[in-house]
């Protein structure tokens, strides 16, 4: 995913000299090719993320297309006020990229883990929130983000879990993408790293799996139509179960076609131990065995009949 992000940056900057990359003293090796090909379009703002957002806002007002890169614990969490006032209030076309989202920086503890970034931004007006599940989806998301004339936050996981799509999918803003067809009337809706897990579990219990490359906006019409022919949803995210994808899905269907929703995500707690990404996922009950134990009894309540 990071390699795809780097390639998308280089392609965008070589085609459009208005594209400028700003980083808060992160991602040196990741941006080697960018600095080589587009040295005049690279700004290291240092460990001063609030100032970096202000610089990006000024560049956007001057006609540039700034892309702001940081760890998701810092961009957007540390700079929510600046994103709100400097960028979103003026509807400026700045793309924010939060790398290492979720529990990826597991060994660095709570200060570098980020499972509240979506929740922090969902209530801020005018900003899209993207959460691609693999390199192919990221490429498609970046292509769309660069066409928008409004703020975007793109959430990236760093764990290499392999591809979900065979190639860059055709995406429409706000829509879910079906990545596995099943017969059950229960549907899995997952985002980011959890799409891979959802596909594995979906094959086991014969449910359809939908990837949510957008958290905001979500196509309420599509979700309502899906809910109308469904018994229940299961949402999966490497993010807090409060304020993330699951909450957004519940809000979207609550006034039209409400169905039961099992939200799989991080609970009301911080990490208490240190270890690998897989270790952190187990600690928070996001490993496949833990999820299976929660999903199986939920899915068993709803008999399987009819295709999605």
């Amino acid at each position: 995913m990071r390699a795809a992000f780097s390639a998308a940056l280089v392609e965008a900057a070589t085609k459009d000299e208005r594209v400028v990359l700003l980083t808060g003293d992160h991602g040196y090796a990741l941006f080697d090719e960018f600095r080589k090909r587009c040295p005049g379009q690279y700004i290291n703002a240092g460990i001063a993320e609030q100032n970096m957002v202000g610089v990006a806002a000024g560049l956007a007002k001057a006609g540039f297309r700034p892309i702001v890169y940081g760890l998701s614990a810092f961009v957007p969490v540390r700079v929510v006020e600046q994103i709100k006032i400097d960028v979103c209030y003026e509807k400026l076309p700045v793309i924010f990229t939060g790398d290492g989202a979720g529990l990826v920086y597991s060994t660095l503890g709570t200060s570098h883990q980020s499972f509240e970034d979506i929740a922090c931004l969902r209530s801020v007006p005018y900003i899209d929130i993207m959460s691609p599940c693999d390199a192919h989806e990221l490429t498609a998301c970046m292509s769309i983000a660069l066409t928008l004339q409004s703020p975007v936050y793109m959430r990236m996981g760093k764990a290499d879990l392999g591809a979900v799509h065979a190639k860059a999918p055709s995406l429409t803003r706000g829509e879910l993408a079906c990545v596995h067809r099943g017969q059950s009337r229960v549907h899995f809706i997952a985002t980011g790293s959890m799409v891979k897990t959802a596909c594995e579990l979906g094959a086991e219990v014969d449910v359809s799996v939908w990837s949510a490359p957008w958290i905001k906006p979500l196509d309420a019409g599509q979700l309502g139509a899906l809910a109308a022919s469904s018994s229940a949803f299961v949402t999966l995210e490497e993010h807090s179960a409060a304020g993330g994808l699951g909450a957004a899905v519940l809000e979207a269907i609550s006034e039209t076609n409400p169905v039961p929703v099992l939200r799989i995500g991080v609970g009301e707690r911080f990490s208490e131990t240190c270890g690998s990404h897989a270790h952190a996922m187990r600690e928070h009950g996001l490993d496949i065995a833990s999820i299976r134990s929660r999903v199986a009894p939920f899915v068993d309540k709803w008999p399987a009949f009819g295709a999605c």
Side-chain angles (χ1 to χ4, degrees):
M1 190 175 289
R2 283 161 57 88
F5 174 62
S6 177
L9 284 178
V10 171
E11 180 181 3
T14 52
K15 289 181 177 179
D16 186 351
E17 63 182 11
R18 297 176 304 151
V19 172
V20 179
L21 173 64
L22 298 92
T23 177
D25 216 23
H26 289 294
Y28 292 113
L30 178 63
F31 301 131
D32 281 350
E33 184 67 15
F34 188 96
R35 292 200 303 271
K36 178 182 176 182
R37 300 275 298 276
C38 311
Q41 293 161 261
Y42 176 84
I43 299 172
N44 184 349
I47 305 175
E49 289 88 353
Q50 292 95 335
N51 289 335
M52 178 168 62
V53 175
V55 171
L59 288 167
K61 288 178 74 70
F64 290 91
R65 294 302 311 268
I67 299 173
V68 176
Y69 173 88
L71 305 189
S72 62
F74 310 134
V75 177
V77 177
R78 179 175 289 173
V79 294
V80 171
E81 179 187 357
Q82 285 72 34
I83 291 174
K84 171 187 171 182
I85 300 300
D86 295 349
V87 175
C88 293
Y89 183 75
E90 305 222 26
K91 302 181 185 179
L92 297 175
V94 178
I95 299 173
F96 299 96
T97 55
D99 199 357
L103 298 165
V104 170
Y105 286 103
S106 54
T107 57
L108 299 179
T110 295
S111 64
H112 283 61
Q113 295 168 11
S114 174
F115 38 82
E116 65 288 309
D117 52 316
I118 293 171
C120 284
L121 286 183
R122 276 189 61 225
S123 59
V124 177
Y126 310 133
I127 188 166
D128 280 37
I129 302 175
M130 294 180 173
S131 177
C133 70
D134 66 2
H136 297 304
E137 209 167 83
L138 183 143
T139 299
C141 284
M142 275 294 293
S143 179
I144 294 172
L146 287 162
T147 68
L148 299 177
Q149 298 300 310
S150 54
V152 174
Y153 169 56
M154 184 175 297
R155 184 180 208 254
M156 295 194 299
K158 192 177 178 183
D160 186 8
L161 302 178
V164 172
H165 300 276
K167 60 181 181 180
S170 177
L171 301 178
T172 300
R173 182 172 179 251
E175 287 189 359
L176 306 175
C178 192
V179 295
H180 176 77
R181 295 280 180 178
Q183 296 298 311
S184 173
R185 285 171 58 86
V186 176
H187 294 264
F188 288 174
I189 302 174
T191 193
S193 65
M194 299 306 291
V195 176
K196 192 79 170 178
T197 301
C199 286
E200 186 172 341
L201 288 174
E204 292 178 7
V205 293
D206 198 25
V207 307
S208 293
V209 178
W210 300 79
S211 173
W214 264 268
I215 308 296
K216 179 188 174 186
L218 273 178
D219 189 321
Q222 182 195 29
L223 274 170
L226 187 61
S229 61
S230 303
S231 298
F233 291 155
V234 177
T235 61
L236 302 95
E237 56 194 311
E238 192 179 335
H239 180 274
S240 172
L245 170 66
V249 168
L250 275 169
E251 291 166 13
I253 65 173
S254 62
E255 296 181 2
T256 54
N257 293 295
V259 297
V261 178
L262 174 63
R263 290 175 294 156
I264 304 291
V266 176
E268 183 76 2
R269 54 165 298 181
F270 294 109
S271 296
E272 296 175 355
T273 61
C274 188
S276 67
H277 179 246
H279 169 88
M281 295 291 276
R282 286 193 298 272
E283 180 184 346
H284 289 275
L286 295 181
D287 61 298
I288 193 164
S290 299
I291 294 172
R292 185 185 290 117
S293 69
R294 291 187 62 190
V295 168
F298 183 79
V299 171
D300 286 345
K301 295 178 183 178
W302 316 103
F305 58 93
C308 73

